[in-house]
Amino acid sequence: MSSIRQFQVTFDCADPERVARFWCEVLGYVLPPPPAGFATWEEFRGSLPPADRGAWSACTDPTGAGPRLFFQRVPEGKAVKNRLHLDVRVGTGLVGEERVAVLEAECARLVALGGARVRLLLADDDNESCLVMQDVEGNEFCLD
């Protein structure tokens, strides 16, 4: 019998703190408390060698239900389409124009936070409408 394991989703990025803040807003996640012995994240970062400052960030679901998101700085930029992406479930149970209106409203909110709209995929015989977006560093995700 297999046991359920926790997992985190890791993003390679140039500015982990910026990307973490964006995803906190998208999902209602929060930054975790600073490491033990530090009153703030700024204090913690100040204790690190300069090259390690801002090298990573994370955000968590305050309810504990969703996975932790981890953001790590890498030297290379994003070059191709993601092989994996998140579907942000904002239109569950909605169909037609009502679903598209909810997707569009959430898209407008996320564009104001620095996200980018890519394209709306309208419902077909197999799938409901979804809206493809990019986060602040161009990582694709869907509003579903």
Side-chain angles (χ1 to χ4, degrees), residues 26 28 30 32 38 46 51 60 66 84 89 103 106 116 125 132 135 138 142:
V26 172
V30 297
F38 296 94
T60 59
L84 171 99
R89 310 301 307 271
L103 298 176
E106 183 65 2
D125 291 336
V132 181
D135 72 11
C142 291

Side-chain angles (χ1 to χ4, degrees), residues 18-19 78 80-82 114-116 118 133-141:
R18 179 175 180 237
V19 181
K78 182 178 175 309
V80 297
K81 184 182 184 302
N82 303 7
V118 176
M133 296 194 67
Q134 293 177 333
D135 72 11
V136 294
E137 287 199 2
N139 299 301
E140 292 92 4
F141 65 98

Side-chain angles (χ1 to χ4, degrees), residues 30-91:
V30 297
L31 298 175
F38 296 94
T40 66
W41 279 105
E42 291 233 348
E43 182 183 330
F44 171 73
R45 283 190 290 275
S47 74
L48 299 172
D52 293 340
R53 294 178 189 159
W56 61 271
S57 190
C59 60
T60 59
D61 179 350
T63 70
R68 178 179 190 243
L69 302 183
F70 185 79
F71 308 90
Q72 62 188 6
R73 185 172 56 214
V74 296
E76 68 277 357
K78 182 178 175 309
V80 297
K81 184 182 184 302
N82 303 7
R83 294 286 306 259
L84 171 99
H85 69 269
L86 302 182
D87 287 340
V88 179
R89 310 301 307 271
V90 298

Side-chain angles (χ1 to χ4, degrees), residues 93-105:
L94 302 176
V95 296
E97 291 178 15
E98 183 180 16
R99 181 181 178 90
V100 171
V102 167
L103 298 176
E104 293 288 1

